[in-house]
């Protein structure tokens, strides 16, 4: 998979100074919180900041007391998002793809908007449903997106989800984390621990997805 965060190599030494000034900015994300990215209204879930879209139903997925992912529902389809800690020196997508393929035999690799992805069928409660797995390696994080339902089999139906993913911001933080450890999430009205204040840039949404939980 191509690394969307990799910078273009400078080919000519004499162009170095010019490229330092004119190095292009990526046109879309997912974004790292520490890199320049467009300011827009987003739902602040701690480790993830999600685009505000009143048509999407956003739910936190929880294991015990820990929020480990997000499920977004729209147009008879769903999008699952999970952000994981990754090594500084390498990404996780190639490794995660191998694990997925070992469990789901009826998936094929293809090139998509974020590089290599997996498409095919996933089994849900004894039945099969179209599924599409997208992985994005960022700086010390990995974002796994799983689209299922109509949008997994139809690129036109999937487009709102693709645009949603492109505007996600991942907040890795500086604290040490184990490889593949879920980056912590929280409900938008929960306060951060140390200061008791909400993260900078938090915008209470006027009308939009009510954040419920899936356990």
């Amino acid at each position: 998979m191509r690394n969307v965060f990799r910078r273009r190599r400078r080919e000519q030494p004499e162009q170095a100074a010019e490229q330092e000034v004119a190095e292009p900015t990526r046109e879309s994300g997912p974004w790292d919180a520490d890199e320049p990215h467009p300011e827009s209204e987003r739902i602040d879930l701690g480790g993830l900041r999600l685009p505000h879209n009143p048509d999407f139903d956003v739910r936190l997925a929880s294991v015990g007391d820990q929020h480990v992912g997000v499920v977004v529902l729209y147009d008879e389809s769903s999008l699952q998002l999970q952000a994981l800690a990754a090594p500084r020196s390498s990404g996780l997508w190639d490794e995660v793809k191998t694990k997925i393929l070992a469990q789901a035999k009826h998936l094929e690799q293809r090139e998509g908007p974020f590089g290599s992805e997996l498409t095919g069928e996933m089994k849900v409660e004894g039945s099969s449903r179209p599924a599409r797995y997208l992985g994005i390696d960022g700086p010390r994080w990995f974002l796994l997106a799983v689209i299922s339902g109509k949008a997994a089999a139809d690129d036109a139906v999937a487009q709102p989800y693709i645009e949603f993913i492109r505007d996600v911001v991942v907040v890795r933080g500086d604290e040490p984390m184990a490889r593949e450890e879920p980056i912590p999430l929280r409900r938008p009205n929960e306060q951060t621990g140390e200061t008791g204040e909400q993260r900078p840039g938090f915008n209470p949404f006027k009308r939009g997805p009510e954040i419920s939980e899936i356990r």
Side-chain angles (χ1 to χ4, degrees):
M1 170 189 172
R2 67 174 184 270
N3 187 335
V4 296
F5 289 87
R6 184 175 299 159
R7 295 184 176 183
R8 186 173 59 189
R9 181 180 299 174
R10 295 170 184 155
E11 299 179 355
Q12 299 296 333
E14 61 270 17
Q15 295 177 345
E18 179 181 350
Q19 291 189 9
E20 283 288 350
V21 175
E23 187 173 1
T25 302
R26 293 187 302 113
E27 295 181 356
S28 65
W31 311 101
D32 183 79
D34 292 334
E35 73 171 322
H37 56 273
E39 292 293 333
S40 62
E41 187 175 10
R42 294 186 178 91
I43 306 166
D44 188 349
L45 301 179
L48 289 174
R49 297 174 188 163
L50 306 182
H52 174 269
N53 186 329
D55 295 326
F56 285 7
D57 179 9
V58 178
R59 304 180 183 183
L60 279 167
S62 304
V63 175
D65 295 331
Q66 184 179 11
H67 304 311
V68 297
V70 174
V71 177
V72 182
L73 305 176
Y74 173 69
D75 194 21
E76 301 180 40
S77 303
S78 67
L79 167 66
Q80 301 175 52
L81 288 175
Q82 187 174 30
L84 306 176
R88 186 183 300 273
S89 59
S90 62
L92 291 178
W93 182 217
D94 287 341
E95 180 180 332
V96 171
K97 270 192 301 184
T98 300
K99 293 179 180 179
I100 295 172
L101 288 169
Q103 298 176 2
K105 305 295 185 182
H106 304 293
L107 295 175
E108 297 180 352
Q109 293 195 55
R110 72 169 190 178
E111 285 298 306
F114 305 106
S116 176
E117 61 181 53
L118 302 175
T119 62
E121 299 284 330
M122 67 184 300
K123 291 186 177 180
V124 180
E125 298 180 353
S127 61
S128 294
R129 194 178 187 197
R132 183 175 173 185
Y133 296 80
L134 305 92
I136 300 97
D137 287 311
R140 298 193 306 127
W141 53 258
F142 167 71
L143 184 66
L144 177 63
V146 183
I147 300 174
S148 59
K150 287 171 53 179
D154 188 323
D155 287 344
V157 179
Q159 195 58 34
Y161 281 124
I162 299 299
E163 295 304 318
F164 185 91
I165 296 169
R166 283 176 171 152
D167 201 28
V168 167
V169 177
V170 181
V171 186
R172 165 62 177 83
D174 296 326
E175 66 279 5
M177 297 181 67
R179 181 189 184 93
E180 297 187 40
E181 180 181 347
I183 296 175
L185 304 178
R186 59 173 171 77
R187 294 176 63 87
N189 57 346
E190 289 178 356
Q191 294 178 333
T192 57
E194 294 184 0
T195 64
E197 298 178 356
Q198 294 170 329
R199 289 181 181 272
F202 173 79
N203 290 319
F205 36 91
K206 307 178 185 67
R207 184 180 75 88
E210 294 294 329
I211 306 297
S212 56
E213 294 184 19
I214 299 174
R215 295 185 180 270

